[in-house]
């Protein structure tokens, strides 16, 4: 099978952990150990989140008073290279020596007229009190919104339209390479003034929707969205919490999930199942081997008609 594995933030940084290189490498090492057995039997393509890393790099950039802060597309490229390097190295330490691995810096096109630019929602960077946020100079053109008890910068999160490096990604897959690409949703770019001239965009693309686009574009057989919970849940962490196991895309769309956590994953899984007629799974990274076999996670089927065949196939 050709499998796209979208690593959630837990693969890089667990909640409450310090954002040091050592901590991130340790978590990536755990992810590599979990993924490695699949590479023996399947074509593996890995994408990943980069939210905390982009926030850290943005804060560091703000400290460069003489040179000015770096734009988000450049920071996105930095994080893609940094995280890709760690994943590539840690996978190389657990895969056979002759198994090729490559990271591709991936530009992703967005529409400059996307409505997301009128309503920035993606939190990046550090936390501020209301008075601190109000003191940020207007010339920085930064927008702040409340995030719990604090204020944080928000940036647009437009929909991904096209992966510019899709051809070399396909070529590498066909040669048996484990490919790491489209990290953090890809580097946001758009055509300037409608001409054939690309320019970076001050935005952060949703990584889950970019993973879905990638899975479609490379004709993946399975999309796995690895996170820190075993299943999608209705009424998560409430007394009447209900875990979802096997479900059709149309049925899953009837439920509502938080936009800042499970919502984009569910949207991406549903879109992949409906657009391709194939399966998407949302589940825990530690269960990834069982997820690939259809034995764990929330399995999203293209339609309810597929359920009897799937149940028979996995022996449920």
């Amino acid at each position: 099978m050709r499998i796209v594995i979208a690593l959630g933030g837990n693969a890089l940084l667990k909640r409450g952990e310090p954002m040091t290189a050592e901590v991130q490498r340790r978590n990536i090492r755990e992810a590599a150990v979990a993924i490695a057995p699949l590479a023996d039997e399947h074509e593996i393509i890995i994408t990943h989140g980069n939210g905390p890393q982009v926030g850290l790099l943005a804060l560091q950039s703000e400290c460069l008073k003489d040179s000015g802060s770096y734009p988000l597309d450049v920071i996105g490229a930095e994080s893609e290279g940094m995280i890709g390097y760690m994943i590539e190295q840690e996978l190389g330490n657990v895969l056979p020596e002759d198994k090729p691995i490559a990271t591709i810096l991936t530009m992703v096109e967005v529409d400059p007229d996307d409505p997301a630019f009128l309503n920035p929602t993606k939190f990046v960077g550090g936390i501020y009190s209301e008075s601190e946020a109000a003191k940020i100079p207007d010339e920085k053109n930064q927008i702040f919104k409340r995030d719990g008890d604090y204020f944080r910068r928000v940036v647009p999160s437009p929909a991904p339209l096209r992966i510019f490096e899709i051809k070399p990604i396909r070529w590498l897959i066909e040669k048996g390479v484990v490919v790491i690409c489209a990290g953090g949703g890809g580097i946001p770019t758009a055509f300037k003034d409608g001409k054939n001239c690309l320019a970076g965009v001050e935005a952060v693309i949703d990584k889950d929707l970019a993973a879905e686009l990638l899975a479609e574009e490379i004709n993946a057989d399975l999309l796995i969205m690895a996170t820190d919970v075993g299943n999608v849940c209705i009424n998560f962490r409430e007394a009447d919490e209900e875990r979802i196991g096997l479900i059709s895309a149309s049925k899953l769309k009837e439920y509502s999930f938080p936009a800042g956590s499970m919502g984009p994953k569910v949207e991406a899984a549903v879109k992949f199942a409906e657009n391709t007629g194939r399966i998407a799974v949302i589940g825990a990274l530690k269960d990834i081997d069982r997820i690939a076999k259809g034995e764990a996670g929330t399995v999203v089927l293209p339609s309810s008609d597929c359920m009897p065949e799937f149940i028979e196939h996995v022996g449920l």
Side-chain angles (χ1 to χ4, degrees):
M1 286 195 298
R2 181 171 292 181
I3 304 175
V4 169
I5 300 174
L7 297 175
N10 65 294
L12 307 174
L13 192 71
K14 296 180 176 65
R15 188 177 295 274
E17 290 183 328
M19 195 161 50
T20 64
E22 292 78 11
V23 168
Q24 293 178 71
R25 182 174 289 280
R26 184 189 67 212
N27 289 331
I28 288 172
R29 186 177 300 123
E30 293 175 2
V33 170
I35 292 170
L38 296 181
D40 290 335
E41 302 179 27
H42 307 289
E43 295 176 335
I44 301 298
I45 302 88
I46 299 171
T47 185
H48 57 81
N50 70 346
Q53 291 74 22
V54 164
L56 177 63
L57 291 171
L59 283 173
Q60 292 174 339
S61 175
E62 290 288 340
C63 295
L64 302 175
K65 297 180 180 179
D66 295 334
S67 57
S69 58
Y70 279 29
L72 282 175
D73 60 308
V74 174
I75 291 174
E78 285 183 288
S79 68
E80 266 199 343
M82 175 179 68
I83 297 168
Y85 157 69
M86 288 188 179
I87 296 174
E88 188 173 329
Q89 192 172 76
E90 293 303 328
L91 268 178
N93 289 336
V94 292
L95 289 175
E97 187 176 350
D98 60 350
K99 184 66 175 178
I101 310 167
T103 300
I104 293 189
L105 284 178
T106 313
M107 295 188 296
V108 174
E109 183 183 6
V110 300
D111 182 354
D113 294 324
D114 190 304
F117 288 103
L118 300 177
N119 180 32
T121 58
K122 184 72 172 179
F123 288 109
V124 298
I127 59 174
Y128 302 86
S129 67
E130 186 171 7
S131 60
E132 288 172 334
K135 294 177 182 177
I136 303 295
D138 291 340
E139 59 265 23
K140 288 184 178 292
N141 294 318
Q142 295 181 358
I143 299 173
F144 292 83
K145 291 184 179 180
R146 183 177 292 279
D147 183 17
D149 295 332
Y150 299 94
F151 281 77
R152 294 178 67 196
R153 181 188 176 191
V154 288
V155 299
S157 184
L161 300 178
R162 175 167 47 147
I163 298 171
F164 286 101
E165 289 78 14
I166 198 64
K167 285 186 178 180
I169 290 171
R170 289 173 182 152
W171 296 336
L172 288 171
I173 295 169
E174 290 165 2
K175 292 295 183 180
V177 179
V178 176
V179 181
I180 304 159
C181 60
I187 304 164
T189 52
F191 286 104
K192 187 176 181 180
D193 300 326
K195 301 176 182 178
N196 191 27
C197 179
L198 277 176
V201 176
E202 196 74 355
V204 174
I205 302 170
D206 184 90
K207 67 182 187 303
D208 297 311
L209 296 180
E212 190 283 327
L213 177 62
L214 171 67
E216 280 200 53
E217 289 291 305
I218 63 171
N219 199 28
D221 299 295
L222 176 66
L223 170 60
I224 297 176
M225 314 192 79
T227 182
D228 57 354
V229 295
N231 296 77
V232 177
C233 295
I234 302 168
N235 302 323
F236 184 55
R237 291 180 177 169
E238 301 293 336
D240 57 346
E241 176 182 291
E242 179 183 347
R243 294 196 308 169
I244 300 175
L246 189 61
I247 192 168
S248 68
S250 59
K251 182 65 177 178
L252 188 56
K253 285 195 296 185
E254 295 179 7
Y255 301 103
S256 177
F257 300 94
S261 55
M262 193 57 73
K265 291 178 175 56
V266 167
E267 181 183 353
V270 166
K271 186 176 180 181
F272 179 76
E274 291 187 332
N275 287 1
T276 67
R278 294 170 183 165
I279 295 171
V281 187
I282 302 171
L285 175 64
K286 64 182 179 63
D287 297 329
I288 201 160
D289 186 50
R290 295 178 59 230
I291 287 174
K293 298 174 183 176
E295 299 172 352
T298 295
V299 180
V300 184
L301 300 176
S303 71
S304 56
D305 295 338
C306 302
M307 286 191 182
E309 182 180 347
F310 176 83
I311 290 171
E312 181 179 357
H313 174 69
V314 299
L316 293 178

